[in-house]
Amino acid sequence: YEIENEPNAHHLTPGDYMTIAKSASEALHKGDPDAKVFGMCVTGDFVPWLKQAFEFDAAGVFDGISIHTYVTPNLPEQANLRGKLKEVQTLITKTGKAMPLVNSETGTYVSLREDANSPISPERLETLIKNGTPGLTVSRGWPNHAVSEQSGSISVVRNVVYNFLAGSRLFVFFGWNPE
């Protein structure tokens, strides 16, 4: 089970989240003593929020930690993904509890092809984005534009590698179109 989805992106304070998570975790474990309850499910620039949530006894509430490492439109290096994952592992280690880490959702917003036989070139994609072409830009939300197939592919592969090197036991790719 996972408690909540990206609470740090929906203006839920770490304290309020942990109050909800504690009640939910207790109820789940009461109904299913073998339940595995994962929490946080954080996204974006999640480390400061996560640090605060850990101060509310995450190790006593969760059996494992779940994260969502979206970095689009950046590459993982530009988003300091390796540094963020290292900080997450440090927080888990400090609890003294063996808590598995999973990445239960991530993805990238990749441009669709105009011609099925070839990807959109970076130059053409830049022009289409500047022109507000539907399907390549979104009026609100994150990210606000698609990336090239090459950039998206590089991003996903590196994201997977960095997650597994950081000890993640699971990596779930979430394909989505924000429109």
Side-chain angles (χ1 to χ4, degrees):
Y1 299 92
E2 278 188 330
I3 308 295
E4 201 41 89
N5 182 49
E6 301 175 353
N8 66 315
H10 301 290
H11 310 292
L12 196 56
T13 69
D16 289 345
Y17 170 74
M18 291 303 295
T19 298
I20 294 166
K22 184 174 191 246
S23 294
S25 181
E26 288 171 355
L28 287 165
H29 282 109
K30 182 178 180 181
D32 179 1
D34 295 325
K36 298 297 178 205
V37 179
F38 283 72
M40 309 298 193
C41 313
V42 290
T43 192
D45 188 20
F46 55 77
V47 173
W49 192 96
L50 198 63
K51 285 180 180 178
Q52 290 178 29
F54 264 87
E55 293 174 7
F56 291 92
D57 190 29
V61 174
F62 300 116
D63 301 302
I65 301 300
S66 175
I67 57 176
H68 300 170
T69 58
Y70 288 101
V71 297
T72 299
N74 297 312
L75 291 174
E77 296 81 6
Q78 295 166 316
N80 188 29
L81 181 58
R82 290 177 80 179
K84 289 177 184 177
L85 292 169
K86 185 176 181 177
E87 288 190 72
V88 171
Q89 277 299 353
T90 298
L91 288 168
I92 292 171
T93 300
K94 284 182 180 178
T95 69
K97 179 180 176 182
M99 298 176 74
L101 173 66
V102 300
N103 188 333
S104 61
E105 181 187 322
T106 196
T108 187
Y109 178 21
V110 176
S111 61
L112 301 176
R113 293 180 173 202
E114 294 176 297
D115 172 354
N117 296 315
S118 62
I120 298 174
S121 72
E123 297 79 18
R124 172 88 175 127
L125 180 59
E126 185 177 335
T127 299
L128 292 169
I129 289 169
K130 282 182 182 175
N131 291 337
T133 303
L136 299 177
T137 61
V138 293
S139 57
R140 58 188 182 98
W142 174 90
N144 62 354
H145 65 83
V147 297
S148 70
E149 284 184 33
Q150 180 181 16
S151 180
S153 300
I154 290 168
S155 183
V156 168
V157 170
R158 289 179 182 170
N159 202 325
V160 170
V161 169
Y162 294 151
N163 269 268
F164 285 129
L165 287 174
S168 183
R169 295 186 183 180
L170 175 74
F171 186 92
V172 177
F173 182 81
F174 180 66
W176 54 278
N177 181 338
E179 287 292 312

